[in-house]
Structure formats: structure tokens, C-alpha cells
Amino acid sequence: MAALSGRDLLSLADLSPKEVQELLQMAIELKSKKLKLQCNKVLGLLFSKASTRTRVSFSVAMYQLGGQVIDLNPNVTQVSRGEPVEDTARVLERYLDIVAVRTFAQQELETFAHYAKIPVINALTDLEHPCQVLADLLTIQECFDTCAGLTLTYLGDGNNVANSLMLGCALVGMNVRVATPIGYEPNAAIIDTARLIAGNKTEVILTNDPEAATKGTNVLYTDVWASMGQESEADNRMPIFQPYQINEQLLNLADPEAIVLHCLPAHRGEELTHEVIEGPQSRVWDQAENRMHIQKALLASILGGE
Ligand code: CP
Ligand code: NVA
């Protein structure tokens, strides 16, 4: 049951292919109510960036497991007054059973995890968004019955979501194509890790050609062109990213059964059109719901059912 007992999840690369499959299966059983788990533990949410989905889905998942949640907004803690991350981690571990951290630098998350003996979950950094991608894989699995052998195309900024998607696809045997403007490619070390995981079984393709990347694909995915912390670059990025917009013309190049995903929040008219996000191939609301189911599985797996 507690396959990830006591472990951190700082990167999707922390999980093996088998562990990802077990989490997906556990989430499916929790969602269908075939599996009921109880844990009487306390989760802290230490978020230095805004969040709707991650905050609420983690909270509801924990409540449904019978646990408690404390929202540790930096503005109401000493974090915003400069208390070092090393000190915060060593204090919070004395109170909490597990903590989800949303911050800027991956290094800060790693420092926190190093000093906190309790499990630490990456709830988004500038480098990765592993919980999002676990929910994305669950959504793909539900739509196609399996992830293995499918192709996912990510269009836009080579950001945290793109990085975790490359790892996630490689872990479940999906081909992944990432199309970005020149200079906005995903993290080089993560590309290498994803290729290592994929081996000679699947492809991890990087390109600057959105049309070639979209042809025949099964899953078309995009995210905002300027992530949290990059707001000042948003206007300059607009014309650079325009060719990577998911619109009906581009969607027509994908497999006719293709689905469209977006981690949300979405900017209609920028990375995708109103017609596409509201259209019949969009699965973004199921995708958002699945954040709760997969995170419940993750919490139960790390904390152990009681
Ligand atoms: N997709 C996602 O992580 O959304 P929030 O920023 O609202 O948590
Ligand atoms: N790439 C986006 C994801 C938001 C869920 C960001 O980091 O702002």
C-alpha cells in the first residue's frame, strides 16, 4: 500500500515507471471509490506563488483522507520577513507530517527537503510541476485506456510543465514532441534525463516547428507563454509565441481523436483559442479534477493508509 512511504517528490524523475503506474492505478481506484483510505495526518501548504487548483485539490484530497491541512501563506508567516528556509524547514517538520512547497528556484525546494525530515512534495517550481503531470497522465490514461505508445505534443514555452511532461511521458512509454521558439527550449539536463528514461523505446523530440510537431499527435498540450515570475516579459513574448498557438487550424493536423490539455490557468486568444478550449476535443476540466485524485493517491502512498 505505502509504496512511496516517507519519500519526497521533488522531481518526476524521483519515480520509477512502476511507481507511476501504481499511483495511476491507485488514483483510478480512489476516484471510482473502489479504494478507501484513511490517514490522520497534517499537510502543510507552503506556497510562495499564487495557486487555485493545487491549493484546493491538495486540501480536499487531504480532508477526504481524514487528514488536516494548514495553509502556510508566506505573508502570514515569518517566511516573508526573511526567516531562512533551513530554519523554517527544521521547525515545520516538528509540527507537520508532510509539506507541499510551491516556490521559484528548485534549489530552494531541495534545501527545504534537505533540512526537513518529513516528506516534501514539489507543488511547482520554476523547473518542474510533477503533480500536474501525474494528473495529466491519469487523464490521458482515462481517455485512451493506456498511455504507452501514444504521442504527446507540447507547444509553447519550455517551462516547468514542459520539463515534467518530458519526464512523465518517458516514464509511461509515450513519445513526446516539444515545439518551442528558439531560445525557449526546456531544461537541457531534464531533456537528457528524459532521453535516458525513454532509452530506445520512445522518442523525446525537440523542434521549433509547431506544425511538424502536431502532425498525427494524440495529445496536444500547451501552457501560458509567461509563467509566474515572468510577467514583465509577457508583452515581448506575445509575437514570438504566436505561431505556437493551439487553434483549430493547428488542431486539424493532429490525429482526429486527439485531445487537448492545458494545466490552467489559460489565456484564451494567446496559447490557445476560445474555440479550442471550449471545443469537443478539450479535456481540461477532467484534467483539473484529476489533480485531486492523483494527489490523494500520492499522499496516501507517501503517508501510508491507517
Ligand atoms: N495548474 C495549476 O497548478 O494550477 P494552480 O496554479 O491554480 O495551482
Ligand atoms: N507554467 C505555469 C504553470 C502554472 C500552473 C507557471 O509556472 O506559472
Side-chain angles (χ1 to χ4, degrees), residues 241-281:
F241 282 86
Q242 195 58 44
Y244 298 83
Q245 181 190 68
I246 304 185
N247 48 40
E248 285 177 314
Q249 204 182 339
L250 201 66
L251 185 53
N252 280 337
L253 298 176
D255 185 275
E257 306 293 319
I259 61 168
V260 175
L261 299 181
H262 188 309
C263 57
L264 305 177
H267 294 170
R268 288 166 173 78
E270 295 181 22
E271 71 271 8
L272 85 178
T273 59
H274 174 86
E275 289 70 26
V276 167
I277 193 171
E278 300 294 351
Q281 287 165 275

Side-chain angles (χ1 to χ4, degrees), residues 50-55 102 124 129 132 228 263-265 291:
S51 168
T52 299
R53 279 144 289 270
T54 311
R55 184 190 305 284
R102 171 170 285 205
L124 181 147
H129 197 0
Q132 175 66 53
M228 289 181 276
C263 57
L264 305 177
R291 295 293 306 276

